[in-house]
Amino acid sequence: MPSSAFQPVIESLLDTDLYKFTMWQAMLHRHPAAQAEYQFICRNRPEHPLAELADEIEQQIDHLCSLGFRQDELDYLSSLRYIKSDFVDFLSLFHFQRRFIDVSVQGDMLSIVARGPQVHVMGFEIFVLAIVNELYFRRYQTPDVLDEGRRRLQEKIQLLHAFSQEAPRRFPLAISDFGLRRRFSRAWQTEVVERLRAAVPQYITGTSNVALAKSHGLIPVGTMAHEYLQSYQAFGKVRLRDFQRAALEDWVQEYRGDLGVALTDVVGMDAFLADFDLYFAKLFDGLRHDSGDPIAWGEKAIAHYQKLRIDPASKRFVFSDGLNLPQALNIYRHFADRVQLAFGIGTNLSNDLGPQPLNIVMKLFQCNGMPTAKLPDSPGKEHCTDATFLAYLRQVFGR
């Protein structure tokens, strides 16, 4: 049992990203029997070995598995028009099952694997990442580090104040906090969002963090992530070549016009656009960029809409690939007179205090006993442990 000094990282099951709920609902309705395996990965080399955190992570996961949704949280989810009543009923009974997640160490390396029914394990991802981050960065929670974080945050606010003096463009700047998964701490993410909302409310429109959206009256932001589309690579009734179309079709049928931003880079932008025909281009409100050169991506997307005789100005592009504020402003200036824009900024808002952030993820590696893969447009972001399947996927999609 946790000791008397135990400080929980997670105190609410709403303290996760919106797209976990939207994907969760879709999978519960469309593929409730799917089995899945998710693995934790650290892409960079931490200053301190993550294996040192294993015992504390075990305690935090034990605590996570003791939590359930409170009635006010269920009421909030019910207020979102795309969340359906039977899904809320499911959540009212839901608890994470400890037997579905395992923590171990291999030398200095930390291993975390969630394996079991997908509708019971897919939700672990964001909580695990938040737990690892906060435990790791507790050693840095000193007055000097926090003062540096506040100084850097003030620079961002000043940059936005300076931007406000520029000539207006056709479409406004909209920035959302996407920082939960790699945040310095829950308290710091909250402080950042509060200060930005107070200083530049015209630009800070939403957050992916459902708990923060609820408590601060923000728009909860998110649709789908890679795991949703990757799962369709393993569903037996879907040809591999058709997995993106099948996933998009199920999304359309589930949400009937809501949550209409599609993720484009599971097997690369070119392969996505080959599947994103007039039917989908009219049904979806826009596209999300998460790898590759953002300007080239946006130009390619605009050209695709124009080829289909769709006005790009009627669509929204969401940029979310490791952005900082200057990068977001440069992308905005390039496209703001031609297409609606939104930006999700994560680590650079929620973990920019001086210490090196962790580049950690928890990705889907298997579904229904079959490998899944991600082949994005940026080197180093590929995920697959089965070389044969990866080669086959490349062949099918010409990658």
Side-chain angles (χ1 to χ4, degrees), residues 265-325:
D265 72 329
V266 174
V267 285
M269 182 61 163
D270 291 340
F272 176 84
L273 292 179
D275 290 337
F276 199 67
D277 60 9
L278 182 62
Y279 171 75
F280 288 124
K282 284 189 172 182
L283 289 175
F284 279 86
D285 297 322
L287 305 172
R288 179 160 76 92
H289 169 267
D290 200 48
S291 67
D293 180 85
I295 300 299
W297 176 93
E299 293 293 349
K300 191 173 289 188
I302 287 173
H304 185 72
Y305 281 120
Q306 290 173 335
K307 179 181 177 181
L308 296 174
R309 299 183 181 179
I310 294 174
D311 181 3
S314 68
K315 300 298 180 179
R316 178 179 295 271
F317 293 176
V318 179
F319 294 87
S320 62
D321 181 26
L323 293 176
N324 59 36
L325 192 54

